[in-house]
Amino acid sequence: MSAVASMEGRMPFRGYETWYRVTGDLGSGPLPLVVAHGGPGCTHDYVDSFKGISVLDGRAVIHYDQLGNGKSTHLPEKGPDFWTVDLFLAELDALLAHLGIAGRYAFLGQSWGGMLGAEHAVRRPAGLKALIVANSPANMHTWVSEANRLRRDLPADVQETLLRHEAAGTLTDPEYITASRVFYDRHVCRVTPWPDDVARTFAAMDQDNTVYRNMNGPTEFHVIGTMKDWTIEDRLHLVEAPTLLISGAHDEATPEVVRPYRERVPNCAWTLFPESSHMPHVEEKEACLAVVSQFLKTHD
């Protein structure tokens, strides 16, 4: 692929700064695509591959690090009352206005980013012309139930290690982290070793897990943070934007996890990537980007 020009910037937001990068030309014809990372508490690095869509169809692709993460302002002193869905919805609205695209844009959210995108979409913003929900739960209780079902298929010694440390509260013990990685290698990213983009995100979370710890908890399957009771199932019928749902056959976001989007969003198409887990944009990159690009082209 040939190189595409990009520019970075920092948006003032509530006395802090949100970092963003635009790949491609915002003044071009196709819908600009805003990409939101997961977590809550990841960084843009592991979803960086979506910038390739700019090369495919001349579309501007915007990545940003949500507040508290990556190149945006870090706030390790803030507790659970600060890190709310409303905070990140306001940040997204501010970014759309800052870039001058609030009247016409597409949004792609991966994992937590898709949850944020759904929260955004049920408010029926007039400028949202297309929505991509990638590997996202609609109900955290279902997410935890399915994660623990998948966990029961892990080797017995791995399960024993996880349970022992969870009972003792020693969730930062290297043995617990190593055991957790067995689950991650099966159901989060099946490319080994992890690509640099993915590794950078996890390294950043190791350095500052403030947002993830407060909103999610210590691991993907041990959700004890403020999002533990979150659901959007009963509001999905409010989504007006045409929606593409994507997930992987080995995904921690199992078919049961994503089923509410398929069944309750009025105009929703689903693509399941057979060789992927939670990151089709990494595990089956070319196929994933092609599917997203084609969907967006139909709504330009």
Side-chain angles (χ1 to χ4, degrees), residues 148-155 159 186:
N148 282 288
R149 180 180 66 80
L150 295 173
R151 181 169 140 165
R152 288 193 290 272
D153 290 332
L154 297 177
Q159 294 187 57
R186 286 190 181 192

Side-chain angles (χ1 to χ4, degrees), residues 37-42 66-69 78-89 91 111-113 115-116 119 137 140 143-144 205 208-220 222-231:
H37 62 71
C42 290
Q66 295 159 30
L67 189 66
N69 308 296
K78 297 294 188 183
D81 291 346
F82 182 83
W83 305 108
T84 65
V85 173
D86 284 343
L87 170 75
F88 292 110
L89 285 171
E91 180 186 40
S111 197
W112 146 253
M115 298 156 65
L116 180 65
E119 288 276 8
M140 289 304 288
W143 172 266
V144 171
M205 294 177 73
D208 183 358
N209 68 353
T210 302
V211 183
Y212 187 76
R213 183 183 71 250
N214 279 288
M215 295 184 74
N216 184 84
T219 64
E220 292 294 275
H222 199 56
V223 180
I224 56 176
T226 57
M227 295 292 290
K228 66 182 186 297
D229 296 321
W230 177 88
T231 181

Side-chain angles (χ1 to χ4, degrees), residues 75 108 147:
L75 298 161
L108 184 155

